[in-house]
């Protein structure tokens, strides 16, 4: 086979297109991203269905994502998150686990507090609000209703 | 005491083991040519053209069709549970984890693997490989190696394009045709698929399949009988063996590592 510039060009383009597709799938679809560099963590009693890569939002705007979730020494869920370093969050920021809609995916909402002191990289968000488990609520409701009837 | 039936089983088993050993030695000698000079880069590029560029149209078109059908079926099924917002996740997960690598491998087997086997088998039949040997050119190094390695390299690239086109097909059907919100499709897609658990295993699978197809196709061609029946047997054998191996390995990989 003779060297042919056109064939070589198409091979080059093919390889580049393939690599671009892999890159797109990894970065956009797979969510592979460079560290934003600002790590915070919060401990919860109950995280419901929160998963790694769940969005971290402030006033509904995504500012980062949950990087990992582990169990700490006291058997509480420690949620590590990676957020935008330009964010100025007061130390009394509250982290709560919310649900999109009634049955949607869980996400982590941050509600900035009023303190002047700001959270630094690697610090803990002390104020947390655990996930509300719908089934537990329903259970409670049913229970309460049942007790009322007995009375 | 003679037991012809048992003897036949014994003979077949020996033949099978013989082939396995042959394939292993063959694979090692092909891999050796990738790391030991002379490097046939020119030949490798030509083979990438044959196996990759010429497979592009069929892979992209099939990807698009598969994605579109997944979108249609997924929507139809999920809408019964009121979960049509998760069409993106369903299409994406099934494509990335299973269908992308497997269907690409099957397409490449039919399009490029069979061609590679037939070409090498014809060269065996017409004694071209012996001609190369007489010029002291190693046919493994010059003909077989570039083909096998090209199939190996091309597979993840084609799988990525297949998945991309399929995601696009699923998007078109579920958003343009069925009226799902475009943001919903991509949001559920992106939240369902993770890099470490889905994308990396997907391309590892594609690479394993590429190796399987490359080595099986070239091995069947290289060891074919030097007759016209030999050529056809090598081609058929490649398609059958490689397809079955891909599907079996897919199950084993998924079962072992849960990907």
């Amino acid at each position: 086979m003779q060297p042919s510039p056109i064939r070589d060009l198409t091979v080059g383009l093919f390889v580049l297109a393939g690599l671009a597709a892999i890159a797109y799938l990894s970065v956009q679809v797979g969510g592979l991203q460079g560290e934003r560099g600002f790590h915070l963590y919060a401990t919860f009693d109950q995280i419901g269905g929160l998963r790694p890569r769940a969005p971290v939002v402030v006033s509904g705007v995504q500012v980062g994502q949950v990087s990992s979730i582990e169990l700490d020494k006291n058997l509480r869920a420690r949620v590590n998150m990676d957020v935008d370093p330009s964010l100025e969050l007061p130390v009394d920021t509250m982290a709560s686990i919310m649900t999109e809609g009634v049955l949607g995916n869980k996400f982590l909402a941050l509600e900035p507090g009023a303190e002047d002191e700001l959270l630094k990289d690697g610090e803990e968000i002390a104020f947390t609000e655990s996930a509300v488990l719908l089934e537990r609520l329903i259970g409670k409701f049913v229970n309460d209703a049942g007790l009322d009837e007995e009375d | 005491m003679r037991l012809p039936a048992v003897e036949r089983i014994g003979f077949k088993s020996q033949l099978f083991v013989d082939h396995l050993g042959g394939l292993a030695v063959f694979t090692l000698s092909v891999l050796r040519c990738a790391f030991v000079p002379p490097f046939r880069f020119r030949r490798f590029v030509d083979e990438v053209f044959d196996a990759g560029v010429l497979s592009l149209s069929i892979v992209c078109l099939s990807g698009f069709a598969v994605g579109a059908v997944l979108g249609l079926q997924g929507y139809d099924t999920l809408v019964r549970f009121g979960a049509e917002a998760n069409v993106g996740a369903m299409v994406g997960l099934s494509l990335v984890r299973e269908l992308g690598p497997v269907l690409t491998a099957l397409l490449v087997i039919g399009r490029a693997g069979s061609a590679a086997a037939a070409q090498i088998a014809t060269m065996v039949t017409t004694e071209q490989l012996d001609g190369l040997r007489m010029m002291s050119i190693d046919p493994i190094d010059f003909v077989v190696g570039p083909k096998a390695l090209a199939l190996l390299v091309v597979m993840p690239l084609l799988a990525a394009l297949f998945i991309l086109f399929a995601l696009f097909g699923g998007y078109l059907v579920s958003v343009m045709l069925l009226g799902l919100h475009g943001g919903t499709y991509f949001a559920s897609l992106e939240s369902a698929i993770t890099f470490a658990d889905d994308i990396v295993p997907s391309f590892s699978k594609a690479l394993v399949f590429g190796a399987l197809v490359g080595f099986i196709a070239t091995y069947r061609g290289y060891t074919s009988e030097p007759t016209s029946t030999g050529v056809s047997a090598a081609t058929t054998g490649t398609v059958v063996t490689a397809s079955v191996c891909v599907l079996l390995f897919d199950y084993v990989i998924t079962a072992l590592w849960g990907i």
Side-chain angles (χ1 to χ4, degrees):
Chain A
M1 229 191 254
Q2 293 300 308
S4 137
I6 293 175
R7 194 181 55 225
D8 293 359
L9 184 72
T10 52
V11 171
L13 286 177
F14 162 69
V15 172
L16 287 179
L19 291 178
I22 293 180
Y24 173 79
L25 288 174
S26 309
V27 175
Q28 190 63 38
V29 178
L32 178 72
Q33 57 181 211
E35 288 276 288
R36 296 192 200 219
F38 193 58
H39 304 276
L40 295 171
Y41 71 93
T43 39
F44 294 91
D45 292 326
Q46 174 60 256
I47 58 165
L50 192 74
R51 287 168 193 281
R53 273 199 80 202
V56 175
V57 303
V58 173
S59 317
V61 179
Q62 186 172 356
V63 294
Q65 64 179 13
V66 173
S67 48
S68 62
I69 297 172
E70 60 208 14
L71 215 53
D72 72 2
K73 289 193 296 289
N74 307 323
L75 296 181
R76 298 180 75 212
R78 176 184 162 139
V79 175
N80 299 307
M81 62 200 105
D82 185 26
V83 299
D84 194 343
S86 66
L87 218 58
E88 294 183 342
L89 292 169
V91 284
D92 57 344
T93 295
M94 166 119 122
S96 31
I97 296 173
M98 312 262 236
T99 313
E100 292 170 18
V102 182
L103 297 167
N105 293 321
K106 295 274 193 290
F107 64 95
L108 195 63
L110 300 182
E111 229 168 285
E115 291 277 337
D116 291 333
E117 211 179 324
L118 298 180
L119 279 169
K120 288 189 273 301
D121 188 26
E123 283 192 331
E124 177 179 8
I125 298 175
F127 300 101
T128 61
E129 192 180 37
S130 290
V132 176
L133 294 184
L134 196 63
E135 51 272 39
R136 205 166 277 179
L137 271 185
I138 295 172
K140 217 176 186 177
F141 177 75
V142 169
N143 251 341
D144 289 354
L147 283 176
D148 285 347
E149 252 167 53
E150 274 174 34
D151 294 341
Chain B
M1 184 176 70
R2 294 202 59 189
L3 292 166
V6 180
E7 274 171 30
R8 205 172 305 124
I9 292 175
F11 179 70
K12 289 277 185 199
S13 309
Q14 285 179 49
L15 215 60
F16 177 70
V17 174
D18 205 43
H19 266 299
L20 272 189
L23 184 59
V25 171
F26 176 82
T27 303
L28 285 181
S29 60
V30 170
L31 284 179
R32 189 182 145 274
C33 87
F35 297 107
V36 179
F39 299 115
R40 309 281 187 186
F41 190 68
R42 175 85 254 147
R43 291 274 312 113
F44 175 70
V45 172
D46 290 341
E47 296 301 344
V48 170
F49 180 81
D50 271 357
V53 178
L54 296 182
S55 306
L56 260 184
S57 51
I58 181 178
V59 164
C60 294
L61 200 70
S62 316
F64 183 81
V66 167
V69 124
L70 272 180
L72 217 53
Q73 294 277 26
Y75 186 90
D76 228 36
T77 312
L78 290 173
V79 85
R80 295 180 201 187
F81 311 108
E84 67 270 24
N86 292 318
V87 167
M90 202 215 97
V91 172
L93 275 178
S94 45
L95 272 170
V96 169
R97 296 174 76 123
E98 270 315 315
L99 294 178
V102 172
L103 287 183
T104 311
L106 293 180
L107 288 170
V108 170
I109 288 168
R111 168 68 188 68
S114 57
Q119 197 184 350
I120 296 175
T122 315
M123 291 177 93
V124 170
T125 313
T126 52
E127 297 177 345
Q128 292 180 54
L129 294 186
D130 293 331
L132 284 173
R133 280 194 197 94
M134 284 179 69
M135 295 189 285
S136 77
I137 295 172
D138 183 4
I140 294 265
D141 196 44
F142 192 75
V143 178
V144 173
K147 271 191 195 304
L149 296 177
L151 281 168
L152 179 112
V153 169
V154 145
M155 198 67 86
L157 301 176
L158 286 175
L161 288 167
F162 182 95
I163 294 171
L164 210 63
F165 270 77
L167 291 181
F168 177 63
Y171 174 83
L172 270 193
V173 165
S174 52
V175 175
M176 306 286 171
L177 207 64
L178 299 170
L180 197 74
H181 194 275
T184 314
Y185 180 82
F186 275 111
S188 88
L189 175 70
E190 284 167 19
S191 71
I193 296 174
T194 59
F195 179 72
D197 292 338
D198 302 310
I199 302 282
V200 172
S202 169
F203 291 119
S204 317
K205 266 187 187 177
L207 224 93
V208 171
F209 297 162
L212 278 176
V213 176
F215 292 125
I216 289 173
T218 47
Y219 177 74
R220 289 307 297 256
Y222 193 71
T223 55
S224 71
E225 298 281 324
T227 58
S228 54
T229 343
V231 176
S232 72
T235 318
T236 317
T238 297
V239 174
V240 173
T241 317
S243 306
V244 171
C245 278
V246 161
L247 293 171
L248 282 180
F249 269 69
D250 182 44
Y251 176 73
V252 171
I253 292 172
T254 308
L256 282 185
W257 293 288
I259 50 177

